[in-house]
Amino acid sequence: MALDKPYQDIPGTIIFDAEQARRGYWLNQFCSSLMQAENRARFKADERAYLDAWPMSEEQKQAVLARDLNWCMRTGGNIYFLARLGATDGLSFQQMAGSMTGMSEQAYRDMMISGGRSPAGVVGTPPAPGPCRPGPGLARISASVYTSHVPAIGVAIDQGRTEEPYWQPLFAGYAASRQWMLENRPDVILLVYNDHATAFSLDMIPTFAIGCAPEFKPADEGWGARPVPVVQGHPELAAHIAQSLIQQDFDLTIVNRMEVDHGLTVPLSLMCGQPPADHFSWPCKVIPIAVNVVQYPAPSGRRCFQLGQAIRRAVESFDAALTVQIWGTGGMSHQLQGARAGLINRGWDNAFLDQLIADPAALAQRPHIDYLREAGSEGIELVMWLVARGAMADVAGGPPPRLRQRFYHVPASNTAVGHLILENT
């Protein structure tokens, strides 16, 4: 990969980055389980049996059994999680640190009493200033897709009601898009959506989060999980994007395990159709990018637009030949609460679509209050469309995108539905 990792040149040091976190997820989860006394007792009674209950690699299990902390870290372990293993063995942090140096316990203590280890011996040339190298990346964003993600649309699909008079006009509006998707299938979709109090509770609400797991199960939102495939991720690209964005000063939350709700699965159903039972998988891999639009304040349209630009730079520095699409979902105008519930603003919605196509930089300057007053309290979801639009080539000085589809329909349950496809040219 072309992304800078200068810390790989520091001898005797293993940095726990997004790639390591993905690799060591279950190893670190095992270590966390040892924070409970009953689990420590079960582990000590039969270490191999306890380890076999976790989906860790055989190498990780052998590293644990050998109590080789350096080996554990090479396979994705983090020292703060591995400390639970050391504590289970009755070791102090100093004893664990000493075990990794090749020194005896007494020699390590003497070294620390003498002032600790000198940093001398670091090799390599310091990296040039800047968050990441441009690099000869091979991945490219080919198109952006914009669509509402109404839960009732998923219900209509799942229950075979798409030809009913109420629903038929809406699904007809996506027929050309499904054909376009068949002809322009990407390797990976970066799907920008908001979690609807499913994966994230009020205990933790990240402003921006990226899913780095190998798969994401459909969530049960209270009515049972949708009968759709498990979403297959692309952890290598996701980890690369996460590191690149954080180096570009976006405080991104890395999520290594989560379920995905209708905000992500309904757009897939609209664009890809419902996979048949004998081929129960989506046609390409998906990286979820979750944006908080549930608890105020949501990120500004300007910040979302900047995030899209940073995502494009991250994708283009990934050194693998991948075709990538980015989807912005949510909206359009709708309000689900209070005396204004049922608000729809056709004029505002269509003006938003016009400006999103022709002048997204100006659209990104709209303040939150415009969305709330004109598009409804839940219309703020439209800021997520600016993430996808910011990732398009014209924003970085390339040619204007080609408009391949535009559709607008009222209503779908409580919501106005909007849809665009823009191709990079």
Side-chain angles (χ1 to χ4, degrees):
M1 297 181 186
L3 193 66
D4 253 341
K5 291 189 175 183
Y7 46 75
Q8 290 182 331
D9 199 31
I10 302 174
T13 304
I14 300 172
I15 296 299
F16 188 73
D17 59 14
E19 188 175 358
Q20 282 288 93
R22 174 183 57 81
R23 181 181 298 120
Y25 177 79
W26 287 112
L27 168 58
N28 292 313
Q29 289 293 88
F30 148 73
C31 291
S32 291
S33 75
L34 300 178
M35 295 172 69
Q36 298 181 20
E38 60 270 28
N39 289 337
R40 293 194 293 272
R42 288 173 51 213
F43 174 63
K44 297 301 288 184
D46 190 335
E47 294 188 1
R48 181 70 208 206
Y50 190 84
L51 289 171
D52 284 342
W54 296 86
M56 297 157 54
S57 70
E58 180 59 29
E59 183 182 9
Q60 289 170 327
K61 294 175 184 178
Q62 290 298 328
V64 170
L65 293 170
R67 298 300 197 272
D68 187 328
L69 298 183
N70 285 327
W71 190 7
C72 287
M73 288 191 295
R74 287 195 300 272
T75 64
N78 174 276
I79 188 58
Y80 292 111
F81 291 89
L82 292 168
R84 317 304 180 194
L85 177 62
T88 299
D89 291 334
L91 300 178
S92 69
F93 236 117
Q94 189 175 72
Q95 288 171 312
M96 286 182 278
S99 74
M100 293 181 279
T101 65
M103 304 170 68
S104 69
E105 181 179 339
Q106 187 59 52
Y108 182 84
R109 287 177 177 171
D110 291 344
M111 181 263 291
M112 293 304 298
I113 291 170
S114 299
R117 188 185 302 278
S118 166
V122 175
V123 298
T125 303
C132 61
R133 299 185 311 230
L138 301 174
R140 291 293 180 268
I141 293 176
S142 61
S144 53
V145 174
Y146 310 81
T147 181
S148 303
H149 59 211
V150 186
I153 293 175
V155 174
I157 295 171
D158 299 342
Q159 296 181 357
R161 297 163 51 196
T162 59
E163 295 302 316
E164 291 181 0
Y166 181 90
W167 289 110
Q168 195 278 334
L170 183 143
F171 289 104
Y174 282 84
S177 298
R178 287 192 292 275
Q179 183 60 38
W180 176 87
M181 190 67 182
L182 286 172
E183 298 167 357
N184 297 274
R185 186 173 75 180
D187 298 303
V188 186
I189 297 168
L190 308 179
L191 203 151
V192 184
Y193 77 112
N194 66 288
D195 176 76
H196 300 79
T198 302
F200 306 122
S201 70
L202 292 179
D203 293 337
M204 178 179 64
I205 305 177
T207 298
F208 298 120
I210 186 168
C212 293
E215 66 177 28
F216 307 91
K217 294 181 179 179
D220 183 341
E221 299 179 63
W223 299 275
R226 291 192 64 210
V228 295
V230 170
V231 175
Q232 300 300 317
H234 196 298
E236 296 81 11
L237 178 58
H240 176 89
I241 291 172
Q243 179 159 339
S244 176
L245 262 58
I246 292 169
Q247 289 181 332
Q248 294 181 68
D249 298 328
F250 281 90
D251 298 324
L252 199 66
T253 298
I254 296 170
V255 186
N256 288 309
R257 187 183 184 188
M258 70 175 176
E259 296 182 344
V260 290
D261 63 22
H262 72 268
L264 186 138
T265 62
V266 165
L268 289 173
S269 292
L270 282 169
M271 292 296 297
C272 304
Q274 200 82 327
D278 60 349
H279 190 259
F280 211 53
S281 63
W282 297 111
C284 48
K285 296 183 177 182
V286 178
I287 296 175
I289 300 175
V291 178
N292 167 45
V293 291
V294 173
Q295 178 177 298
Y296 191 88
S300 67
R302 181 181 65 257
R303 191 59 171 161
C304 288
F305 193 56
Q306 293 168 344
L307 177 64
Q309 296 171 63
I311 288 172
R312 179 191 55 78
R313 291 190 290 268
V315 169
E316 292 180 355
S317 70
F318 187 72
D319 197 14
L322 293 176
T323 299
V324 179
Q325 290 178 8
I326 183 165
W327 295 11
T329 74
M332 293 193 83
S333 63
H334 65 300
Q335 182 153 328
L336 302 178
Q337 47 89 9
R340 282 208 314 172
L343 179 148
I344 298 291
N345 191 336
R346 291 172 180 262
W348 199 91
D349 287 343
N350 280 287
F352 182 94
L353 294 174
D354 291 341
Q355 197 169 20
L356 186 71
I357 296 167
D359 194 0
L363 181 59
Q365 302 307 313
R366 277 189 177 271
H368 282 152
I369 195 66
D370 284 7
Y371 293 87
L372 298 174
R373 284 178 174 157
E374 301 296 329
S377 53
E378 281 65 55
I380 192 65
E381 290 179 350
L382 283 167
V383 297
M384 297 187 291
W385 293 31
L386 287 163
V387 179
R389 189 63 181 88
M392 294 297 285
D394 64 313
V395 176
R402 180 188 298 114
L403 175 63
R404 290 300 302 266
Q405 176 69 322
R406 177 170 176 166
F407 175 64
Y408 183 78
H409 177 77
V410 174
S413 185
N414 300 294
T415 308
V417 171
H419 173 45
L420 293 174
I421 296 176
L422 299 178
E423 290 180 340
N424 276 325
T425 57

